[in-house]
Structures are given as C-alpha cells and as structure tokens.
Amino acid sequence: MKGLLLTSYYLVYRSSFLYTGLAILLSGIILTFADASMHRLVAMLNILLMVMSALDVIKFEGKSGYDKYVLTLPVSRSNIVQSHYLFYFLVVIYGVLLSYGIFYIYDLISDTQIDGKFNSIFFGTFAVLFTGAINFPLYYIFGPEKSDSITMGSVGGAILVTIVSQDIVGYLAKLLTLSNSNDLDLYVPIIYLIIGVIAYIVSLFSAVFIYQKKEF
C-alpha cells in the first residue's frame, strides 16, 4: 500500500505544488477584495483545487501504462482501489489544513474576522468527498480516456447535491436540535460531513466491486 501511495504522489506532486500556489493566490484575492458572503467559498475552492491533482492520478496511470503494469505486481485489485481512495482522502485533509491555515493567517493580519470558518470547511469537505465518491466508480467503468469529462461532471454533481439536499439536511438538524435552534448552525455542517464520509465509503466498496470485474 505504501508503494502505491508513493507512486500516486510522484505522479502528481508537481501539479500539487501548482494547485497549492493557485489556491493561496485566489484565497488572498477573494478574502481581500470580495464581499464577506464569498468568504465561505474559499474553503471549498481550496480543497477542490487540492484534489484536482489526486483526480489526475488515474488519468496519468492510463497514459503511462502504469494501470496495466500494476496488475502484474504482488498487490490485489482491492489494494489498488484502496490506495486511490486513501491518497484522495489524504489530499482532502491537506486541503482542509491549508484552508484553516489561510483563515488563521487572515484573521491575524486583518481587522475583519471570518465568521463560520469551520462551517465553511465542513461544507467544502462534504462537496469534495462527494466529488470523489462520484468520480472513482465512473473512472473504473469508463476508463481514464474520459477522465476530464468525469471530473467536470462529478464536481457539478457534488455541488448540485449540496444545493438540493439543503432542505433535507436542515430538517434533520432541526430534529436533532429540537427546541434549541441555537445549535442548528452547528449540526448542519456536521450532518453534511457524516453524509459525505458515508457516501465515500459506499463508493469505495462499489469501486472495488467494479474494478475486480473489469477486464483489461
């Protein structure tokens, strides 16, 4: 597993540095010049930019022929899929830490404090986990040749699910908070995060099943 993770890292580490720089630059522009209502988008943007490199792993493996070569190594197909999911999840964590670091530094140097930074990070994490949950099974079905279309579709699908599910998540949060409406803003992002993790785990089992049946 460690070797598979290192291979994924070396395939995309250069683009990871590029996306990190781009995320810092765009975050600085948005936090400095955009309205406060746009600040909550910074976390989602940062995490999404970070995982772009992780989503490119399978595409690069297909172009280089590594996806065929890895099947000859003493690793199971389930380990190959798990390594992709674990690498993606580690990149999500990196994006979360980067977002928090940017928010923290901005609060130190700016007179304006960012409200709801943790909520923004939770929402961003949900959207990106759901993006990965959609992406990987489709990759294994259609192959790396359609990776760009799959990435665009999964990002759009995750954002759409986030918007459409707001009423359902809000209703669940009200049931949990009961009469204490002050906790509503706390429960909503937590519920989103839990749903995102569950969807990601279900996607992992689905992708393992698909990849084990796949013929090359």
PDB file of all heavy atoms in Angstrom, residues 176-195:
ATOM      1  N   LEU A 176     -32.657  17.067  15.399  1.00  0.00           N
ATOM      2  CA  LEU A 176     -31.613  16.823  16.387  1.00  0.00           C
ATOM      3  C   LEU A 176     -31.565  17.922  17.441  1.00  0.00           C
ATOM      4  O   LEU A 176     -31.333  17.657  18.622  1.00  0.00           O
ATOM      5  CB  LEU A 176     -30.245  16.704  15.702  1.00  0.00           C
ATOM      6  CG  LEU A 176     -30.031  15.459  14.834  1.00  0.00           C
ATOM      7  CD1 LEU A 176     -28.726  15.566  14.084  1.00  0.00           C
ATOM      8  CD2 LEU A 176     -30.049  14.196  15.683  1.00  0.00           C
ATOM      9  N   THR A 177     -31.770  19.154  17.023  1.00  0.00           N
ATOM     10  CA  THR A 177     -31.680  20.279  17.952  1.00  0.00           C
ATOM     11  C   THR A 177     -32.959  20.463  18.745  1.00  0.00           C
ATOM     12  O   THR A 177     -32.947  21.071  19.807  1.00  0.00           O
ATOM     13  CB  THR A 177     -31.366  21.580  17.193  1.00  0.00           C
ATOM     14  OG1 THR A 177     -32.377  21.804  16.192  1.00  0.00           O
ATOM     15  CG2 THR A 177     -30.016  21.502  16.524  1.00  0.00           C
ATOM     16  N   LEU A 178     -34.081  19.950  18.206  1.00  0.00           N
ATOM     17  CA  LEU A 178     -35.396  20.097  18.840  1.00  0.00           C
ATOM     18  C   LEU A 178     -35.699  21.576  19.062  1.00  0.00           C
ATOM     19  O   LEU A 178     -35.775  22.343  18.121  1.00  0.00           O
ATOM     20  CB  LEU A 178     -35.443  19.294  20.137  1.00  0.00           C
ATOM     21  CG  LEU A 178     -35.259  17.763  19.968  1.00  0.00           C
ATOM     22  CD1 LEU A 178     -35.244  17.080  21.327  1.00  0.00           C
ATOM     23  CD2 LEU A 178     -36.358  17.185  19.095  1.00  0.00           C
ATOM     24  N   SER A 179     -35.854  21.983  20.272  1.00  0.00           N
ATOM     25  CA  SER A 179     -36.241  23.383  20.535  1.00  0.00           C
ATOM     26  C   SER A 179     -35.043  24.316  20.614  1.00  0.00           C
ATOM     27  O   SER A 179     -35.204  25.532  20.655  1.00  0.00           O
ATOM     28  CB  SER A 179     -37.035  23.477  21.850  1.00  0.00           C
ATOM     29  OG  SER A 179     -36.246  23.009  22.934  1.00  0.00           O
ATOM     30  N   ASN A 180     -33.861  23.763  20.666  1.00  0.00           N
ATOM     31  CA  ASN A 180     -32.662  24.590  20.799  1.00  0.00           C
ATOM     32  C   ASN A 180     -32.154  24.984  19.415  1.00  0.00           C
ATOM     33  O   ASN A 180     -31.271  24.332  18.851  1.00  0.00           O
ATOM     34  CB  ASN A 180     -31.586  23.836  21.572  1.00  0.00           C
ATOM     35  CG  ASN A 180     -30.405  24.725  21.948  1.00  0.00           C
ATOM     36  OD1 ASN A 180     -30.417  25.921  21.675  1.00  0.00           O
ATOM     37  ND2 ASN A 180     -29.398  24.140  22.575  1.00  0.00           N
ATOM     38  N   SER A 181     -32.700  26.017  18.851  1.00  0.00           N
ATOM     39  CA  SER A 181     -32.355  26.437  17.486  1.00  0.00           C
ATOM     40  C   SER A 181     -30.963  27.032  17.394  1.00  0.00           C
ATOM     41  O   SER A 181     -30.426  27.197  16.304  1.00  0.00           O
ATOM     42  CB  SER A 181     -33.383  27.461  16.976  1.00  0.00           C
ATOM     43  OG  SER A 181     -33.412  28.593  17.830  1.00  0.00           O
ATOM     44  N   ASN A 182     -30.352  27.362  18.544  1.00  0.00           N
ATOM     45  CA  ASN A 182     -29.020  27.951  18.519  1.00  0.00           C
ATOM     46  C   ASN A 182     -27.966  26.965  18.023  1.00  0.00           C
ATOM     47  O   ASN A 182     -26.898  27.363  17.564  1.00  0.00           O
ATOM     48  CB  ASN A 182     -28.628  28.441  19.923  1.00  0.00           C
ATOM     49  CG  ASN A 182     -29.475  29.604  20.392  1.00  0.00           C
ATOM     50  OD1 ASN A 182     -29.940  30.405  19.570  1.00  0.00           O
ATOM     51  ND2 ASN A 182     -29.694  29.707  21.697  1.00  0.00           N
ATOM     52  N   ASP A 183     -28.266  25.666  18.149  1.00  0.00           N
ATOM     53  CA  ASP A 183     -27.312  24.644  17.716  1.00  0.00           C
ATOM     54  C   ASP A 183     -27.495  24.249  16.257  1.00  0.00           C
ATOM     55  O   ASP A 183     -26.777  23.377  15.769  1.00  0.00           O
ATOM     56  CB  ASP A 183     -27.454  23.388  18.590  1.00  0.00           C
ATOM     57  CG  ASP A 183     -26.994  23.635  20.016  1.00  0.00           C
ATOM     58  OD1 ASP A 183     -26.179  24.553  20.204  1.00  0.00           O
ATOM     59  OD2 ASP A 183     -27.454  22.915  20.926  1.00  0.00           O
ATOM     60  N   LEU A 184     -28.457  24.875  15.574  1.00  0.00           N
ATOM     61  CA  LEU A 184     -28.765  24.485  14.200  1.00  0.00           C
ATOM     62  C   LEU A 184     -27.563  24.662  13.286  1.00  0.00           C
ATOM     63  O   LEU A 184     -27.251  23.789  12.469  1.00  0.00           O
ATOM     64  CB  LEU A 184     -29.950  25.290  13.675  1.00  0.00           C
ATOM     65  CG  LEU A 184     -30.526  24.863  12.322  1.00  0.00           C
ATOM     66  CD1 LEU A 184     -31.075  23.440  12.402  1.00  0.00           C
ATOM     67  CD2 LEU A 184     -31.626  25.825  11.877  1.00  0.00           C
ATOM     68  N   ASP A 185     -26.876  25.792  13.425  1.00  0.00           N
ATOM     69  CA  ASP A 185     -25.720  26.070  12.573  1.00  0.00           C
ATOM     70  C   ASP A 185     -24.569  25.110  12.839  1.00  0.00           C
ATOM     71  O   ASP A 185     -23.691  24.946  11.993  1.00  0.00           O
ATOM     72  CB  ASP A 185     -25.236  27.504  12.791  1.00  0.00           C
ATOM     73  CG  ASP A 185     -26.224  28.531  12.251  1.00  0.00           C
ATOM     74  OD1 ASP A 185     -27.030  28.157  11.384  1.00  0.00           O
ATOM     75  OD2 ASP A 185     -26.192  29.686  12.710  1.00  0.00           O
ATOM     76  N   LEU A 186     -24.563  24.476  14.008  1.00  0.00           N
ATOM     77  CA  LEU A 186     -23.521  23.512  14.327  1.00  0.00           C
ATOM     78  C   LEU A 186     -23.826  22.153  13.719  1.00  0.00           C
ATOM     79  O   LEU A 186     -22.941  21.493  13.168  1.00  0.00           O
ATOM     80  CB  LEU A 186     -23.379  23.384  15.845  1.00  0.00           C
ATOM     81  CG  LEU A 186     -22.443  22.277  16.352  1.00  0.00           C
ATOM     82  CD1 LEU A 186     -21.006  22.562  15.912  1.00  0.00           C
ATOM     83  CD2 LEU A 186     -22.532  22.167  17.870  1.00  0.00           C
ATOM     84  N   TYR A 187     -25.089  21.725  13.798  1.00  0.00           N
ATOM     85  CA  TYR A 187     -25.458  20.388  13.346  1.00  0.00           C
ATOM     86  C   TYR A 187     -25.463  20.253  11.827  1.00  0.00           C
ATOM     87  O   TYR A 187     -25.158  19.184  11.304  1.00  0.00           O
ATOM     88  CB  TYR A 187     -26.830  19.997  13.903  1.00  0.00           C
ATOM     89  CG  TYR A 187     -26.774  19.454  15.310  1.00  0.00           C
ATOM     90  CD1 TYR A 187     -27.073  20.261  16.396  1.00  0.00           C
ATOM     91  CD2 TYR A 187     -26.416  18.133  15.550  1.00  0.00           C
ATOM     92  CE1 TYR A 187     -27.008  19.763  17.687  1.00  0.00           C
ATOM     93  CE2 TYR A 187     -26.353  17.626  16.826  1.00  0.00           C
ATOM     94  CZ  TYR A 187     -26.657  18.449  17.899  1.00  0.00           C
ATOM     95  OH  TYR A 187     -26.593  17.949  19.172  1.00  0.00           O
ATOM     96  N   VAL A 188     -25.843  21.301  11.115  1.00  0.00           N
ATOM     97  CA  VAL A 188     -25.954  21.213   9.657  1.00  0.00           C
ATOM     98  C   VAL A 188     -24.638  20.807   9.008  1.00  0.00           C
ATOM     99  O   VAL A 188     -24.596  19.841   8.235  1.00  0.00           O
ATOM    100  CB  VAL A 188     -26.481  22.539   9.062  1.00  0.00           C
ATOM    101  CG1 VAL A 188     -26.321  22.546   7.544  1.00  0.00           C
ATOM    102  CG2 VAL A 188     -27.951  22.734   9.419  1.00  0.00           C
ATOM    103  N   PRO A 189     -23.516  21.497   9.269  1.00  0.00           N
ATOM    104  CA  PRO A 189     -22.248  21.066   8.634  1.00  0.00           C
ATOM    105  C   PRO A 189     -21.794  19.694   9.101  1.00  0.00           C
ATOM    106  O   PRO A 189     -21.179  18.950   8.319  1.00  0.00           O
ATOM    107  CB  PRO A 189     -21.254  22.154   9.040  1.00  0.00           C
ATOM    108  CG  PRO A 189     -21.845  22.810  10.234  1.00  0.00           C
ATOM    109  CD  PRO A 189     -23.324  22.729  10.059  1.00  0.00           C
ATOM    110  N   ILE A 190     -22.073  19.331  10.359  1.00  0.00           N
ATOM    111  CA  ILE A 190     -21.683  18.003  10.845  1.00  0.00           C
ATOM    112  C   ILE A 190     -22.452  16.922  10.099  1.00  0.00           C
ATOM    113  O   ILE A 190     -21.888  15.889   9.707  1.00  0.00           O
ATOM    114  CB  ILE A 190     -21.919  17.893  12.369  1.00  0.00           C
ATOM    115  CG1 ILE A 190     -20.947  18.805  13.111  1.00  0.00           C
ATOM    116  CG2 ILE A 190     -21.764  16.453  12.830  1.00  0.00           C
ATOM    117  CD1 ILE A 190     -21.139  18.833  14.607  1.00  0.00           C
ATOM    118  N   ILE A 191     -23.750  17.146   9.886  1.00  0.00           N
ATOM    119  CA  ILE A 191     -24.562  16.184   9.144  1.00  0.00           C
ATOM    120  C   ILE A 191     -24.042  16.048   7.714  1.00  0.00           C
ATOM    121  O   ILE A 191     -23.939  14.941   7.178  1.00  0.00           O
ATOM    122  CB  ILE A 191     -26.045  16.603   9.146  1.00  0.00           C
ATOM    123  CG1 ILE A 191     -26.627  16.484  10.558  1.00  0.00           C
ATOM    124  CG2 ILE A 191     -26.862  15.740   8.181  1.00  0.00           C
ATOM    125  CD1 ILE A 191     -28.023  17.031  10.689  1.00  0.00           C
ATOM    126  N   TYR A 192     -23.716  17.181   7.102  1.00  0.00           N
ATOM    127  CA  TYR A 192     -23.149  17.140   5.748  1.00  0.00           C
ATOM    128  C   TYR A 192     -21.862  16.314   5.722  1.00  0.00           C
ATOM    129  O   TYR A 192     -21.652  15.507   4.813  1.00  0.00           O
ATOM    130  CB  TYR A 192     -22.864  18.559   5.254  1.00  0.00           C
ATOM    131  CG  TYR A 192     -23.974  19.158   4.437  1.00  0.00           C
ATOM    132  CD1 TYR A 192     -24.674  20.272   4.880  1.00  0.00           C
ATOM    133  CD2 TYR A 192     -24.330  18.621   3.196  1.00  0.00           C
ATOM    134  CE1 TYR A 192     -25.690  20.835   4.128  1.00  0.00           C
ATOM    135  CE2 TYR A 192     -25.339  19.172   2.440  1.00  0.00           C
ATOM    136  CZ  TYR A 192     -26.018  20.282   2.909  1.00  0.00           C
ATOM    137  OH  TYR A 192     -27.033  20.823   2.156  1.00  0.00           O
ATOM    138  N   LEU A 193     -21.001  16.522   6.706  1.00  0.00           N
ATOM    139  CA  LEU A 193     -19.731  15.796   6.747  1.00  0.00           C
ATOM    140  C   LEU A 193     -19.961  14.294   6.912  1.00  0.00           C
ATOM    141  O   LEU A 193     -19.309  13.482   6.244  1.00  0.00           O
ATOM    142  CB  LEU A 193     -18.873  16.330   7.891  1.00  0.00           C
ATOM    143  CG  LEU A 193     -17.468  15.715   8.033  1.00  0.00           C
ATOM    144  CD1 LEU A 193     -16.644  15.990   6.788  1.00  0.00           C
ATOM    145  CD2 LEU A 193     -16.768  16.266   9.269  1.00  0.00           C
ATOM    146  N   ILE A 194     -20.889  13.925   7.789  1.00  0.00           N
ATOM    147  CA  ILE A 194     -21.197  12.499   8.003  1.00  0.00           C
ATOM    148  C   ILE A 194     -21.730  11.871   6.721  1.00  0.00           C
ATOM    149  O   ILE A 194     -21.325  10.760   6.334  1.00  0.00           O
ATOM    150  CB  ILE A 194     -22.208  12.334   9.157  1.00  0.00           C
ATOM    151  CG1 ILE A 194     -21.572  12.743  10.485  1.00  0.00           C
ATOM    152  CG2 ILE A 194     -22.712  10.891   9.222  1.00  0.00           C
ATOM    153  CD1 ILE A 194     -22.540  12.775  11.644  1.00  0.00           C
ATOM    154  N   ILE A 195     -22.635  12.581   6.037  1.00  0.00           N
ATOM    155  CA  ILE A 195     -23.173  12.063   4.773  1.00  0.00           C
ATOM    156  C   ILE A 195     -22.063  11.900   3.741  1.00  0.00           C
ATOM    157  O   ILE A 195     -22.010  10.913   3.003  1.00  0.00           O
ATOM    158  CB  ILE A 195     -24.274  13.003   4.238  1.00  0.00           C
ATOM    159  CG1 ILE A 195     -25.488  12.995   5.170  1.00  0.00           C
ATOM    160  CG2 ILE A 195     -24.705  12.580   2.834  1.00  0.00           C
ATOM    161  CD1 ILE A 195     -26.549  14.009   4.792  1.00  0.00           C
TER     162      ILE A 195
END
